[in-house]
Amino acid sequence: MNALPREVLKWLQSLDLSISVKNPKWDFSNGYLVAEILSWYHPKEIKIHCFNNGTSIQSKLLNWNLLETFFKNKNYAIDRDVMEGTIHCKSAAAEVLVEQLYTTLTNRPTYRLTPRNQTFNDLSYQSKLPLHARATASTAIKNNLANTELETGPDTSHLMSKTQHIISLHQQHRQSQRLQDPDRFGIKPTLGEIRPKMKPESSQNDRNGICQSKQGRKSRPVSANRVPENVQFAEIKVKQSGRDLPASSMDQIKGQIHNDMFGTYQPTIKLGESAGYSAVAQHSR
């Protein structure tokens, strides 16, 4: 009863219920008290003699099927997860159900300092325990998956999905524990965490002629045999007497002239016994 707000407690006491609410988790699980509360506001629609005040799972399902039909007809904002949590006696599910009923029937809001968790698991309780006393994976499944859920589950895949969700929540809780106390779990820092973090130094031009552009990218090194763009070559035709120069010799001379960066190469072509002729590359600065 201490988990319910003060205004909700006063509201329940004013209804003069046949059963005094001591533990909402167990008192509201069969739906009989919920039907009795609704009979005060809707006496024609809710007949209390149609509900069974039993504790078996069959009695609970029959009562809650009638209540769920009534909620749909009246368009009451009662969540399906809240009803299932109340049937299976989940933690804080009955308190959320009573608060929703109070807000729906009286049109008054409930005031809480902290918002209520509607996941209906024991993670909040486990976080308050010391590390050595917290639940394992198997214990978490046992605490958060009731036996009545196993009996009333629609199929095996639905139960497997619930179990997998509980295990994933438990793994997340364990990871947070490892971060809180790494010495207990023997966690060693990685090399990236041990390495001192230093600011990257600005790179400078090295001795190999690598230039750095304004955008911070390194340009390709300038080759020593690459001809600058401002060098132009002019082909000089030489009138030969007697015979022509072989094509291989002419290609070799053109290649040497092309690789000449400073324009100082002056080849001499010997044509037999005649005087030599020269072809000079013109270099423009």
Side-chain angles (χ1 to χ4, degrees):
M1 290 291 288
N2 296 330
L4 293 173
R6 184 179 181 83
E7 60 271 13
V8 178
L9 292 176
K10 290 183 177 181
W11 173 67
L12 290 176
Q13 293 174 359
S14 65
L15 296 177
D16 193 16
L17 300 175
S18 61
I19 302 173
S20 61
V21 180
K22 297 180 180 179
N23 191 349
K25 178 179 179 180
W26 302 104
D27 296 335
F28 288 94
S29 63
N30 60 357
Y32 184 81
L33 278 182
V34 178
E36 190 173 353
I37 292 172
L38 293 174
S39 64
W40 282 90
Y41 293 88
H42 305 280
K44 295 182 180 180
E45 289 87 350
I46 298 296
K47 303 297 181 181
I48 195 62
H49 63 271
C50 296
F51 295 86
N52 184 14
N53 191 14
T55 57
S56 62
I57 188 63
Q58 290 79 12
S59 300
K60 293 180 180 181
L61 294 178
L62 290 174
N63 292 343
W64 281 104
N65 287 334
L66 295 175
L67 293 174
E68 186 176 5
T69 305
F70 175 78
F71 292 151
K72 290 181 179 179
N73 294 334
K74 293 294 183 179
N75 294 325
Y76 284 171
I78 307 298
D79 299 334
R80 176 67 182 176
D81 296 338
V82 176
M83 290 188 289
E84 289 185 358
T86 306
I87 294 172
H88 303 299
C89 300
K90 293 295 186 67
S91 176
E95 289 83 352
V96 174
L97 175 69
V98 175
E99 292 179 8
Q100 290 182 357
L101 284 175
Y102 172 79
T103 305
T104 304
L105 296 175
T106 62
N107 293 325
R108 299 174 185 175
T110 57
Y111 300 97
R112 298 185 61 85
L113 297 177
T114 57
R116 189 183 292 277
N117 187 13
Q118 296 190 12
T119 55
F120 308 140
N121 51 40
D122 63 340
L123 288 181
S124 59
Y125 170 73
Q126 294 292 332
S127 60
K128 298 177 183 178
L129 297 176
L131 294 178
H132 66 275
R134 296 182 182 180
T136 59
S138 59
T139 309
I141 296 174
K142 181 180 178 181
N143 295 339
N144 296 286
L145 191 64
N147 294 330
T148 53
E149 292 184 82
L150 301 177
E151 297 176 5
T152 61
D155 51 9
T156 308
S157 61
H158 180 71
L159 297 176
M160 290 179 62
S161 63
K162 282 188 175 181
T163 306
Q164 186 63 35
H165 179 66
I166 294 172
I167 294 175
S168 62
L169 290 177
H170 176 73
Q171 290 177 350
Q172 294 176 5
H173 187 60
R174 294 286 290 179
Q175 289 178 0
S176 62
Q177 294 178 13
R178 294 169 68 89
L179 294 177
Q180 293 175 2
D181 193 0
D183 296 335
R184 175 180 174 82
F185 296 93
I187 300 177
K188 297 181 180 180
T190 60
L191 295 178
E193 296 174 352
I194 298 176
R195 182 185 61 85
K197 298 181 180 180
M198 302 175 60
K199 295 182 179 179
E201 299 179 358
S202 59
S203 58
Q204 300 178 356
N205 298 338
D206 54 4
R207 298 179 180 179
N208 296 330
I210 300 177
C211 302
Q212 186 178 8
S213 61
K214 296 181 180 180
Q215 292 80 6
R217 298 180 179 178
K218 295 181 179 180
S219 60
R220 297 165 62 181
V222 179
S223 176
N225 296 328
R226 189 173 181 180
V227 180
E229 297 180 354
N230 56 356
V231 177
Q232 298 180 358
F233 297 93
E235 183 178 359
I236 302 175
K237 295 183 179 181
V238 180
K239 185 178 181 181
Q240 302 177 1
S241 59
R243 60 179 179 177
D244 296 334
L245 187 66
S248 59
S249 301
M250 183 60 69
D251 294 337
Q252 183 179 3
I253 294 173
K254 287 182 179 180
Q256 293 178 356
I257 295 175
H258 179 73
N259 294 330
D260 185 18
M261 181 180 296
F262 302 102
T264 57
Y265 176 70
Q266 296 182 0
T268 301
I269 305 172
K270 296 181 179 181
L271 299 175
E273 297 177 355
S274 60
Y277 297 88
S278 63
V280 181
Q282 297 178 359
H283 180 220
S284 60
R285 293 290 182 178

